[in-house]
Amino acid sequence: MSEPKKLHLTAFMRPVSLHTGAWRYPGSYADANFNLAHLKSFIQKLEAAKFDAFFMADHLAVLNMPVEALKRSHTVTSFEPFTLLAALSAVTEKIGLAATASTTYDEPYHIARRFASLDHLSNGRAAWNIVTTGNPESAKNFGLDEHVEHSERYKRAREFYDVVTGLWDSFADDAFPRDVESGIYLDPEKMHILNHKGKELKVRGPLNIARPVQGWPVIVQAGQSEPGRQLAAETAEVVFCSPKDLKAAKELYADIKGRVTAAGRDPKHLKILPAALIIIGDTVEDAKAKRLVLDSRVHYDSAIASLSIALGTDASGFDPDGPLPDDIPETNASKTSQAGVIRLAKEENLTVKQLAQRYGGYSGLAFVGTPESIADDFGIWLAEEAADGFTVVLPFLPQGLDDVTQRLVPELQRRGLFRSEYEGTTLREHLGLPRPKNQFFS
Amino acid sequence: MSEPKKLHLTAFMRPVSLHTGAWRYPGSYADANFNLAHLKSFIQKLEAAKFDAFFMADHLAVLNMPVEALKRSHTVTSFEPFTLLAALSAVTEKIGLAATASTTYDEPYHIARRFASLDHLSNGRAAWNIVTTGNPESAKNFGLDEHVEHSERYKRAREFYDVVTGLWDSFADDAFPRDVESGIYLDPEKMHILNHKGKELKVRGPLNIARPVQGWPVIVQAGQSEPGRQLAAETAEVVFCSPKDLKAAKELYADIKGRVTAAGRDPKHLKILPAALIIIGDTVEDAKAKRLVLDSRVHYDSAIASLSIALGTDASGFDPDGPLPDDIPETNASKTSQAGVIRLAKEENLTVKQLAQRYGGYSGLAFVGTPESIADDFGIWLAEEAADGFTVVLPFLPQGLDDVTQRLVPELQRRGLFRSEYEGTTLREHLGLPRPKNQFFS
């Protein structure tokens, strides 16, 4: 008899929230960007709720935005992920720690070393969210005038992955006898010099760090583009995606799992965890009302640009308090996106201002309802192979996090959809992923 | 009435020790390289003794060494400094945290960001040991065939420092009003875009992190070469050097302080802390005996090469258990070094094997004696302007550390040579260094 399938849950975080209006939501911690005490309380609550991992979003620049948006944004500055997650590793015991790191603007030796170190410090809880960093602002912080072209970034990413995983395998697990009597600390036969010489990278090795506790830290990927999906199929163990609904999620799930199989891997060894904003209320209407309050905290001046982009036309002349006009000009740029806006405006009966605030706040996949209704949805997504779990996006902190950990998680646990205790100690064990064999030593 | 001068003390660490025989010393923690619990206990003991800072040595490679030395070395692998110090910041409150980071094989945006983050996480306790990374093994881990030439490294280091400090000043200290009512999170007038375009580096900025708690993390430098001294005089706030004795220390102290004055800085704003191995016994003879035991743990096979280098001639044919032969051939390579070996052999009546073990273990400046005799010496070095304090090198851990914190420090405190309580909370405050003004905002 096989164990019934369970969800995996990670929290995808910015210290204040990914939602741009969250810092103004009543009770939110507007100062969380540089307040370790808040972040410590968040991760400890997520660990008490048995989340698989805590996942810190990141950028390598202050992103370019109009000054009206910039001055209202809490997402511009915060802790650097490696130092933050290392600090949080010292105040937690079981929860996984996922850091974003770029293959375009960093060196594989540094990346391999930092993740290996975080994995040792945390006793096997590190994960690497591989990103190729598309925004041009980052390029300018690293000596370039323009961002590196998309296919070039993915070629380097693939080779970068080979180098990093090769460096993690620099030492056999039993390379360090530390025999005081004979004076043998290290067995040189169990040290591998990588000597990588590829098209993009040249790295000798060995890494100056013992093999990570997990063998390799868990590999996470977010790309949904064609090369992104292929890179994920070949390398990722967790995929973090943004399908717009159940149907799109099932298609994406089937496509990625098929690619994993085609790449000769076991599809169970890649977990697909769509990112989803979770807003919980006493009733569905109550949750929807919370969302409207949250969205209303996005300033119209910074929101209207987002609506214009989604519509493919300038929306700044529309009446903010009226409905979306019927005569939106056709657009070649984003027909699907425009149709989505029109559908949403009708479904939720939103004004132009409310629509703008939705697009300026967080417009991705969302579950807005009661613990029961969301648990119903999660159960359906799991059963219908749309997801292996969710990358939870918290609307506002700490209340939105407390709602998830104190109301949704217990409901999922009652239904047997989520663990009530950690069964293992490493993130690989939480996710049901095997420990990779060393490529160079059996 | 001015406060009498006090010493500053930092601990310069490798997890097992800088001494290559230490892992075999009775009672030592041979597994400390990846044992956070040990490192946590070390730093907490140093904090209880009111040390200024905990300072982690680092390399960017497994250094090239003969296999006989490699297999006996505990210094090959350990935690990466940023992740380690961030983890330790979460379990300490006052002690400074100094990390080594290279200007040759890293990017200023990354370095500025990580130190700023560590400074925020630790509430103002970060320090940057600027190194230019001379060893060729590191170059090979970063895409190069040969190491970058010395003067080229120092040119880049100087510009790198300007970029990093410029990035730290990206935001005025009051750039984030976070006014919920008006919706203004950030004042764009208080954000500076660096737009650095130099000979070596091109970095736009701004840094995506608020100004560090200390304004700038404390700048540490170790270079004793001509360009190293000049870089230190222009940029450093702590210099960590290795004079061979009191006379050499006084000369170096006068030279560096003179250069600081010539560079238009206040010489009190650069602290000179010679690195010194400290071995404590109940009597001076007892301490010397401990040192011989420690040195004896260096295997002769890996030690003899170090003696040959120090002598400038192959010592492998000498009788290990006999005295140093009288007829050492003259050398052009290192007359001073050879004379030093010959003097040491006579002074301490050492066999060839013991000499080799000294040079293979730790042959730099050492204070070997009782708490009282070492406190006498420290007082002389402070009074005669040979040092503003010491970068303490611990011979073996944890016992050598306990001897310093439980025996030497109380003796220094009794004499008024060292603080009994932290007076401030930041590392700058411990060191008596001013908080730098923001270059771009008054």
Side-chain angles (χ1 to χ4, degrees):
Chain A
M1 203 182 88
S2 78
E3 185 83 355
K5 269 207 298 186
K6 284 194 165 66
L7 294 158
H8 297 283
L9 295 178
T10 70
F12 187 58
M13 308 278 301
R14 294 288 288 184
V16 179
S17 163
L18 285 172
H19 192 291
T20 58
W23 71 278
R24 299 175 71 203
Y25 191 83
S28 280
Y29 296 155
D31 68 339
N33 281 327
F34 297 105
N35 187 319
L36 182 64
H38 290 329
L39 287 157
K40 186 174 155 181
S41 77
F42 299 159
I43 195 170
Q44 288 177 336
K45 287 174 178 181
L46 291 164
E47 184 169 68
K50 319 300 175 195
F51 262 56
D52 292 74
F54 176 94
F55 184 165
M56 189 50 61
D58 193 44
H59 296 297
L60 290 175
V62 171
L63 300 186
N64 188 28
M65 50 180 111
V67 72
E68 277 304 320
L70 176 68
K71 73 187 187 188
R72 302 182 187 286
S73 175
H74 64 259
T75 63
V76 166
T77 59
S78 66
F79 294 116
E80 182 272 342
F82 283 101
T83 42
L84 174 63
L85 293 179
L88 293 176
S89 78
V91 296
T92 51
E93 289 182 0
K94 295 286 182 74
I95 193 166
L97 303 159
T100 296
S102 171
T103 55
T104 303
Y105 301 114
D106 215 324
E107 293 281 344
Y109 201 85
H110 287 312
I111 295 292
R113 203 171 167 226
R114 261 176 233 125
F115 277 109
S117 186
L118 183 61
D119 204 57
H120 282 287
L121 287 166
S122 64
N123 275 315
R125 298 188 281 140
W128 174 22
N129 177 33
I130 304 186
V131 300
T132 66
T133 312
N135 62 298
E137 291 78 22
S138 296
K140 290 175 187 159
N141 290 332
F142 295 93
L144 303 179
D145 289 320
E146 295 192 6
H147 71 284
V148 180
E149 190 263 315
H150 192 266
S151 68
E152 175 57 34
R153 291 204 315 272
Y154 274 86
K155 265 194 290 184
R156 179 173 160 106
R158 187 64 186 75
E159 190 177 327
F160 199 108
Y161 164 87
D162 287 339
V163 174
V164 168
T165 52
L167 289 170
W168 284 335
D169 287 344
S170 290
F171 293 96
D173 289 316
D174 59 351
F176 299 93
R178 297 195 295 261
D179 183 50
V180 171
E181 202 51 46
S182 66
I184 306 299
Y185 191 88
L186 152 68
D187 180 353
E189 299 284 313
K190 295 187 173 169
M191 180 178 91
H192 179 81
I193 298 172
L194 188 62
N195 261 330
H196 174 89
K197 285 174 188 151
K199 284 193 176 155
E200 306 279 335
L201 298 162
K202 199 160 75 171
V203 180
R204 181 176 181 273
L207 195 64
N208 57 355
I209 191 158
R211 193 161 192 253
V213 173
Q214 296 186 99
W216 303 353
V218 173
I219 304 294
V220 183
Q221 273 264 297
Q224 282 185 125
S225 66
E226 174 62 31
R229 289 183 192 203
Q230 194 52 35
L231 180 64
E234 293 171 18
T235 65
E237 302 178 290
V238 171
V239 163
F240 144 64
C241 51
S242 309
K244 71 180 194 318
D245 56 22
L246 180 62
K247 180 163 171 289
K250 288 168 73 170
E251 283 167 10
L252 185 62
Y253 189 100
D255 177 73
I256 293 175
K257 294 270 177 165
R259 289 173 191 250
V260 174
T261 306
R265 298 174 60 204
D266 182 340
K268 284 200 296 297
H269 295 165
L270 180 148
K271 307 295 178 186
I272 298 180
L273 310 180
L277 182 74
I278 307 289
I279 300 183
I280 294 171
D282 295 335
T283 62
V284 173
E285 287 315 304
D286 177 43
K288 285 184 175 169
K290 281 189 187 179
R291 186 181 204 183
L292 284 176
V293 171
L294 175 60
D295 285 349
S296 77
R297 300 300 163 134
V298 181
H299 201 282
Y300 189 60
D301 290 349
S302 58
I304 190 66
S306 305
L307 179 60
S308 299
I309 291 165
L311 276 175
T313 192
D314 180 8
S316 63
F318 300 167
D319 173 13
D321 297 316
L324 195 66
D326 287 329
D327 55 343
I328 307 284
E330 269 195 47
T331 171
N332 287 320
S334 54
K335 281 196 172 56
T336 324
S337 170
Q338 184 182 89
V341 180
I342 294 171
R343 196 171 54 240
L344 173 65
K346 293 212 170 111
E347 268 174 21
E348 300 196 21
N349 196 27
L350 300 176
T351 64
V352 166
K353 186 172 181 183
Q354 287 171 324
L355 270 176
Q357 287 168 329
R358 175 68 52 83
Y359 283 90
Y362 186 90
S363 59
L365 178 67
F367 294 90
V368 180
T370 63
E372 296 74 23
S373 76
I374 297 172
D376 288 346
D377 285 338
F378 277 19
I380 291 167
W381 283 58
L382 183 65
E384 297 199 4
E385 302 200 330
D388 297 312
F390 292 92
T391 300
V392 173
V393 176
L394 299 163
F396 35 75
L397 293 147
Q399 312 95 312
L401 184 149
D402 291 340
D403 288 339
V404 167
T405 57
Q406 295 171 16
R407 302 180 68 185
L408 177 59
V409 165
E411 180 61 29
L412 295 170
Q413 288 169 333
R414 266 192 291 279
R415 299 181 185 201
L417 285 170
F418 192 60
R419 70 172 69 84
S420 296
E421 283 303 333
Y422 291 108
E423 291 114 45
T425 60
T426 70
L427 178 55
R428 287 192 173 277
E429 288 166 345
H430 305 337
L431 289 166
L433 298 170
R435 186 175 190 272
K437 288 194 177 27
N438 193 312
Q439 304 159 70
F440 311 117
F441 302 99
S442 58
Chain B
M1 201 182 91
S2 78
E3 184 84 354
K5 267 207 298 185
K6 283 195 165 66
L7 294 159
H8 297 283
L9 296 178
T10 70
F12 188 57
M13 309 276 303
R14 293 288 288 182
V16 179
S17 163
L18 285 172
H19 192 291
T20 59
W23 71 278
R24 298 174 72 201
Y25 191 84
S28 280
Y29 297 154
D31 67 339
N33 281 327
F34 297 104
N35 188 319
L36 183 63
H38 290 328
L39 286 158
K40 186 175 153 178
S41 77
F42 299 158
I43 194 169
Q44 289 177 337
K45 286 172 178 182
L46 291 164
E47 184 170 68
K50 318 300 175 196
F51 262 56
D52 292 75
F54 177 94
F55 185 164
M56 188 49 60
D58 193 44
H59 296 298
L60 291 176
V62 170
L63 300 185
N64 190 29
M65 51 180 109
V67 71
E68 277 304 319
L70 176 68
K71 72 187 188 189
R72 301 183 188 286
S73 174
H74 65 260
T75 63
V76 167
T77 60
S78 67
F79 295 116
E80 180 274 342
F82 283 101
T83 42
L84 174 63
L85 293 180
L88 293 175
S89 78
V91 297
T92 52
E93 289 181 1
K94 295 285 181 75
I95 192 168
L97 304 159
T100 297
S102 171
T103 56
T104 304
Y105 301 114
D106 214 325
E107 293 281 345
Y109 200 84
H110 287 314
I111 295 293
R113 205 173 165 221
R114 261 176 231 124
F115 278 110
S117 187
L118 182 63
D119 204 57
H120 281 288
L121 287 166
S122 64
N123 274 316
R125 297 187 280 139
W128 174 22
N129 177 31
I130 304 186
V131 299
T132 66
T133 312
N135 62 299
E137 291 78 22
S138 296
K140 290 175 187 160
N141 289 332
F142 296 93
L144 302 179
D145 290 319
E146 295 191 5
H147 70 283
V148 180
E149 190 263 314
H150 193 265
S151 69
E152 175 57 33
R153 291 203 315 273
Y154 274 86
K155 263 192 292 180
R156 180 176 159 103
R158 188 63 186 77
E159 191 177 327
F160 198 108
Y161 164 87
D162 287 338
V163 174
V164 168
T165 51
L167 288 170
W168 284 334
D169 287 344
S170 291
F171 293 95
D173 289 315
D174 59 351
F176 299 93
R178 296 195 295 264
D179 182 52
V180 170
E181 202 52 45
S182 66
I184 306 299
Y185 191 88
L186 152 68
D187 179 353
E189 298 285 312
K190 295 185 173 170
M191 179 179 93
H192 179 80
I193 298 172
L194 188 63
N195 260 330
H196 175 90
K197 285 175 189 152
K199 283 193 178 157
E200 305 280 334
L201 297 163
K202 199 162 73 172
V203 181
R204 181 175 182 274
L207 194 64
N208 56 355
I209 192 159
R211 193 160 191 254
V213 173
Q214 296 185 99
W216 303 354
V218 173
I219 304 293
V220 183
Q221 273 264 296
Q224 283 186 125
S225 66
E226 174 61 30
R229 288 182 193 204
Q230 194 52 36
L231 181 63
E234 293 172 19
T235 66
E237 302 178 290
V238 172
V239 163
F240 144 63
C241 51
S242 309
K244 69 179 194 324
D245 56 23
L246 180 63
K247 180 164 171 287
K250 287 167 73 170
E251 283 166 11
L252 186 62
Y253 188 99
D255 178 72
I256 293 176
K257 294 267 179 169
R259 288 174 192 249
V260 173
T261 306
R265 298 175 58 205
D266 182 340
K268 283 200 298 296
H269 295 165
L270 180 147
K271 307 295 177 184
I272 298 180
L273 310 180
L277 182 75
I278 307 290
I279 300 183
I280 295 170
D282 295 335
T283 62
V284 173
E285 287 315 304
D286 178 41
K288 285 184 175 170
K290 281 189 188 179
R291 185 181 204 182
L292 285 176
V293 171
L294 174 61
D295 285 349
S296 76
R297 300 301 162 134
V298 180
H299 202 281
Y300 190 59
D301 290 348
S302 58
I304 190 64
S306 305
L307 179 59
S308 299
I309 291 165
L311 277 174
T313 191
D314 180 9
S316 63
F318 299 167
D319 173 13
D321 298 315
L324 194 65
D326 288 329
D327 55 346
I328 307 285
E330 269 197 44
T331 171
N332 288 320
S334 54
K335 281 194 171 56
T336 324
S337 171
Q338 185 182 90
V341 179
I342 293 169
R343 194 172 54 239
L344 175 65
K346 294 213 169 112
E347 269 174 21
E348 300 195 21
N349 195 26
L350 301 177
T351 64
V352 166
K353 186 172 178 181
Q354 287 171 324
L355 271 175
Q357 287 167 330
R358 174 68 52 83
Y359 283 89
Y362 186 91
S363 59
L365 178 67
F367 294 90
V368 180
T370 63
E372 295 73 23
S373 77
I374 296 173
D376 288 347
D377 286 337
F378 277 19
I380 291 166
W381 282 58
L382 183 66
E384 297 199 5
E385 301 200 331
D388 297 310
F390 293 91
T391 300
V392 172
V393 175
L394 299 163
F396 35 76
L397 294 146
Q399 313 94 312
L401 184 150
D402 292 340
D403 288 340
V404 168
T405 57
Q406 294 169 17
R407 302 180 68 183
L408 176 59
V409 165
E411 181 61 29
L412 295 171
Q413 288 169 334
R414 264 191 293 279
R415 299 181 185 203
L417 286 171
F418 191 60
R419 71 172 70 82
S420 296
E421 283 303 332
Y422 290 108
E423 291 115 44
T425 60
T426 70
L427 178 55
R428 287 192 172 275
E429 288 166 346
H430 305 337
L431 289 166
L433 298 170
R435 186 175 191 270
K437 286 195 178 30
N438 193 312
Q439 304 160 70
F440 311 117
F441 302 98
S442 58

